[in-house]
PDB file of all heavy atoms in Angstrom:
ATOM      1  N   ALA Q 206     114.926  52.337 166.791  1.00 91.00           N
ATOM      2  CA  ALA Q 206     114.777  52.969 168.098  1.00 91.00           C
ATOM      3  C   ALA Q 206     113.891  54.203 168.072  1.00 91.00           C
ATOM      4  O   ALA Q 206     113.759  54.888 169.084  1.00 91.00           O
ATOM      5  CB  ALA Q 206     116.159  53.338 168.654  1.00 91.00           C
ATOM      6  N   SER Q 207     113.259  54.492 166.942  1.00 89.00           N
ATOM      7  CA  SER Q 207     112.509  55.741 166.821  1.00 89.00           C
ATOM      8  C   SER Q 207     111.301  55.798 167.746  1.00 89.00           C
ATOM      9  O   SER Q 207     110.852  56.888 168.116  1.00 89.00           O
ATOM     10  CB  SER Q 207     112.057  55.955 165.371  1.00 89.00           C
ATOM     11  OG  SER Q 207     111.121  54.969 164.985  1.00 89.00           O
ATOM     12  N   ALA Q 208     110.758  54.646 168.130  1.00 82.00           N
ATOM     13  CA  ALA Q 208     109.573  54.624 168.989  1.00 82.00           C
ATOM     14  C   ALA Q 208     109.924  54.319 170.442  1.00 82.00           C
ATOM     15  O   ALA Q 208     109.027  54.081 171.255  1.00 82.00           O
ATOM     16  CB  ALA Q 208     108.574  53.587 168.470  1.00 82.00           C
ATOM     17  N   LEU Q 209     111.222  54.366 170.781  1.00 89.00           N
ATOM     18  CA  LEU Q 209     111.656  53.938 172.107  1.00 89.00           C
ATOM     19  C   LEU Q 209     112.126  55.113 172.953  1.00 89.00           C
ATOM     20  O   LEU Q 209     112.483  56.175 172.442  1.00 89.00           O
ATOM     21  CB  LEU Q 209     112.793  52.918 171.983  1.00 89.00           C
ATOM     22  CG  LEU Q 209     112.496  51.664 171.156  1.00 89.00           C
ATOM     23  CD1 LEU Q 209     113.722  50.754 171.134  1.00 89.00           C
ATOM     24  CD2 LEU Q 209     111.279  50.925 171.696  1.00 89.00           C
ATOM     25  N   ASP Q 210     112.136  54.909 174.264  1.00 90.00           N
ATOM     26  CA  ASP Q 210     112.633  55.915 175.196  1.00 90.00           C
ATOM     27  C   ASP Q 210     114.158  55.946 175.152  1.00 90.00           C
ATOM     28  O   ASP Q 210     114.795  55.049 174.601  1.00 90.00           O
ATOM     29  CB  ASP Q 210     112.150  55.593 176.611  1.00 90.00           C
ATOM     30  CG  ASP Q 210     112.647  54.234 177.082  1.00 90.00           C
ATOM     31  OD1 ASP Q 210     113.778  54.165 177.602  1.00 90.00           O
ATOM     32  OD2 ASP Q 210     111.923  53.232 176.897  1.00 90.00           O
ATOM     33  N   PRO Q 211     114.790  56.989 175.730  1.00 92.00           N
ATOM     34  CA  PRO Q 211     116.251  57.122 175.645  1.00 92.00           C
ATOM     35  C   PRO Q 211     117.026  55.936 176.206  1.00 92.00           C
ATOM     36  O   PRO Q 211     118.058  55.535 175.638  1.00 92.00           O
ATOM     37  CB  PRO Q 211     116.536  58.397 176.438  1.00 92.00           C
ATOM     38  CG  PRO Q 211     115.281  59.202 176.299  1.00 92.00           C
ATOM     39  CD  PRO Q 211     114.171  58.196 176.309  1.00 92.00           C
ATOM     40  N   ILE Q 212     116.572  55.355 177.311  1.00 92.00           N
ATOM     41  CA  ILE Q 212     117.285  54.212 177.890  1.00 92.00           C
ATOM     42  C   ILE Q 212     117.234  53.017 176.957  1.00 92.00           C
ATOM     43  O   ILE Q 212     118.245  52.352 176.707  1.00 92.00           O
ATOM     44  CB  ILE Q 212     116.703  53.859 179.277  1.00 92.00           C
ATOM     45  CG1 ILE Q 212     116.987  54.984 180.270  1.00 92.00           C
ATOM     46  CG2 ILE Q 212     117.289  52.546 179.783  1.00 92.00           C
ATOM     47  CD1 ILE Q 212     116.357  54.783 181.635  1.00 92.00           C
ATOM     48  N   SER Q 213     116.049  52.729 176.407  1.00 91.00           N
ATOM     49  CA  SER Q 213     115.911  51.610 175.473  1.00 91.00           C
ATOM     50  C   SER Q 213     116.711  51.863 174.197  1.00 91.00           C
ATOM     51  O   SER Q 213     117.298  50.945 173.622  1.00 91.00           O
ATOM     52  CB  SER Q 213     114.434  51.386 175.131  1.00 91.00           C
ATOM     53  OG  SER Q 213     113.699  51.016 176.279  1.00 91.00           O
ATOM     54  N   THR Q 214     116.739  53.129 173.762  1.00 92.00           N
ATOM     55  CA  THR Q 214     117.521  53.476 172.574  1.00 92.00           C
ATOM     56  C   THR Q 214     118.997  53.182 172.806  1.00 92.00           C
ATOM     57  O   THR Q 214     119.678  52.614 171.937  1.00 92.00           O
ATOM     58  CB  THR Q 214     117.339  54.970 172.231  1.00 92.00           C
ATOM     59  OG1 THR Q 214     115.970  55.191 171.866  1.00 92.00           O
ATOM     60  CG2 THR Q 214     118.243  55.384 171.084  1.00 92.00           C
ATOM     61  N   GLN Q 215     119.503  53.533 173.976  1.00 93.00           N
ATOM     62  CA  GLN Q 215     120.907  53.263 174.278  1.00 93.00           C
ATOM     63  C   GLN Q 215     121.170  51.763 174.304  1.00 93.00           C
ATOM     64  O   GLN Q 215     122.224  51.302 173.823  1.00 93.00           O
ATOM     65  CB  GLN Q 215     121.298  53.880 175.624  1.00 93.00           C
ATOM     66  CG  GLN Q 215     122.774  53.665 175.970  1.00 93.00           C
ATOM     67  CD  GLN Q 215     123.199  54.366 177.245  1.00 93.00           C
ATOM     68  OE1 GLN Q 215     122.498  55.255 177.727  1.00 93.00           O
ATOM     69  NE2 GLN Q 215     124.337  53.971 177.780  1.00 93.00           N
ATOM     70  N   GLN Q 216     120.232  50.984 174.828  1.00 92.00           N
ATOM     71  CA  GLN Q 216     120.405  49.529 174.845  1.00 92.00           C
ATOM     72  C   GLN Q 216     120.457  48.960 173.428  1.00 92.00           C
ATOM     73  O   GLN Q 216     121.267  48.076 173.137  1.00 92.00           O
ATOM     74  CB  GLN Q 216     119.262  48.887 175.641  1.00 92.00           C
ATOM     75  CG  GLN Q 216     119.327  49.160 177.134  1.00 92.00           C
ATOM     76  CD  GLN Q 216     118.095  48.666 177.883  1.00 92.00           C
ATOM     77  OE1 GLN Q 216     116.972  48.712 177.361  1.00 92.00           O
ATOM     78  NE2 GLN Q 216     118.286  48.207 179.099  1.00 92.00           N
ATOM     79  N   ILE Q 217     119.613  49.482 172.545  1.00 93.00           N
ATOM     80  CA  ILE Q 217     119.631  49.036 171.153  1.00 93.00           C
ATOM     81  C   ILE Q 217     120.967  49.407 170.503  1.00 93.00           C
ATOM     82  O   ILE Q 217     121.584  48.595 169.790  1.00 93.00           O
ATOM     83  CB  ILE Q 217     118.466  49.650 170.363  1.00 93.00           C
ATOM     84  CG1 ILE Q 217     117.111  49.154 170.896  1.00 93.00           C
ATOM     85  CG2 ILE Q 217     118.608  49.352 168.866  1.00 93.00           C
ATOM     86  CD1 ILE Q 217     116.840  47.684 170.672  1.00 93.00           C
TER      87      ILE Q 217
END
Side-chain angles (χ1 to χ4, degrees):
S207 66
L209 303 180
D210 60 85
I212 293 175
S213 297
T214 295
Q215 182 175 344
Q216 290 173 325
I217 295 293

